[in-house]
Amino acid sequence: MRKDHGVSEFRIVVLASGNGTNLQAILDQLHGRDGIAVVGVGSDKRDARALRRAREAEVGTAEFPSEEFADRAARDLAMGDWVEGLAPDLVVLAGYMQLLSPGFVGRFRDRIVNVHPALLPAFPGLDAVGQALAAGVDVTGVTVHYVDEGVDTGPPILRREVPVPASRSREELETALHAVEHELFPEAIRTLAGDKARIEESDRPPVADR
Ligand code: GAR
């Protein structure tokens, strides 16, 4: 946590590839509140709507399109340097649709979180909604989890069930999942920010030693 004028700030960098509705929920519910700040938004897509949302909130952005780098490791090295320069407490994947290289994961170990539209370990990877519908389940959900080197395999932080609508309409299910994501993800991040603040506080020397 960086201390500005004696006040601790919980700094978040968000990576997003697409529309950025989860980024928007984070900006609306967390940014500038309770000592939490979104300090940068990065994307692998130059035209990601998420980047526009960041600019509208006056948050700095950076783009790391695949075609500019020799391979994923090279992209993640450049992206990691940019992220590290922002000194984040947490790296948040909000619809970031690229697998991160082991180098990037190792660099920010236990500080990367992701939201996934399924009850992991069920339906990891791409098109979790399509997978759930094809499997014929009546209940799916949303998982917020830490990111490790695997595809959606890191330890879960919060999970919430979402019933599959009777119509089994993809659009209806996606709307329901998004609504839950927009509550659950900020809730999980707020909890992590709070835990960090408490840990920092308990690290402080007793009053007599200050
Ligand atoms: C979200 O539904 C998120 O759970 C999913 O991408 C969507 C991004 O929406 N992520 C994954 O499937 C990751 N495996 P958004 O751009 O509107 O936030």
Side-chain angles (χ1 to χ4, degrees):
M1 289 186 115
R2 186 178 276 185
K3 303 246 171 31
D4 283 331
H5 310 296
V7 179
S8 294
E9 187 182 51
F10 189 83
R11 298 168 64 83
I12 297 173
V13 170
V14 178
L15 302 180
S17 301
N19 192 0
T21 63
N22 279 286
L23 165 66
Q24 193 66 55
I26 291 164
L27 288 168
D28 292 345
Q29 297 174 44
L30 302 179
H31 182 50
R33 297 180 193 203
D34 302 327
I36 299 173
V38 177
V39 294
V41 174
S43 183
D44 58 312
K45 299 273 182 291
R46 284 188 191 291
D47 55 355
R49 173 117 190 261
L51 292 172
R52 267 194 282 142
R53 295 178 190 272
R55 288 184 206 112
E56 278 162 23
E58 298 182 356
V59 171
T61 60
E63 295 154 26
F64 303 92
S66 315
E67 60 272 17
E68 281 188 12
F69 299 93
D71 54 23
R72 189 157 51 97
R75 188 245 307 276
D76 284 5
L77 191 61
M79 193 164 74
D81 287 346
W82 171 75
V83 170
E84 199 169 299
L86 294 167
D89 295 288
L90 199 65
V91 179
V92 171
L93 308 187
Y96 184 69
M97 302 309 276
Q98 302 283 337
L99 185 65
L100 289 167
S101 59
F104 189 99
V105 173
R107 202 164 169 181
F108 303 100
R109 168 101 35 222
D110 300 331
R111 282 191 289 152
I112 312 175
V113 296
N114 180 45
V115 66
H116 184 77
L119 293 176
L120 291 171
F123 313 131
L126 292 176
D127 194 18
V129 179
Q131 292 185 56
L133 288 170
V137 294
D138 292 326
V139 176
T140 182
V142 172
T143 305
V144 178
H145 65 99
Y146 285 107
V147 171
D148 64 11
E149 284 80 357
V151 177
D152 300 322
T153 49
I157 300 166
L158 276 182
R159 284 198 295 184
R160 194 160 294 165
E161 291 187 353
V162 175
V164 176
S167 65
R168 305 200 72 80
S169 140
R170 183 185 181 102
E171 202 185 333
E172 255 183 76
L173 177 55
E174 277 178 346
T175 303
L177 286 164
H178 266 120
V180 170
E181 287 184 341
H182 299 162
E183 281 182 16
L184 200 70
F185 208 13
E187 185 182 323
I189 295 166
R190 198 182 294 113
T191 303
L192 294 174
D195 286 351
K196 179 85 193 257
R198 276 196 293 281
I199 291 163
E200 295 263 319
E201 186 63 25
S202 64
D203 280 348
R204 290 166 75 166
V207 173
D209 296 348
R210 283 184 205 159

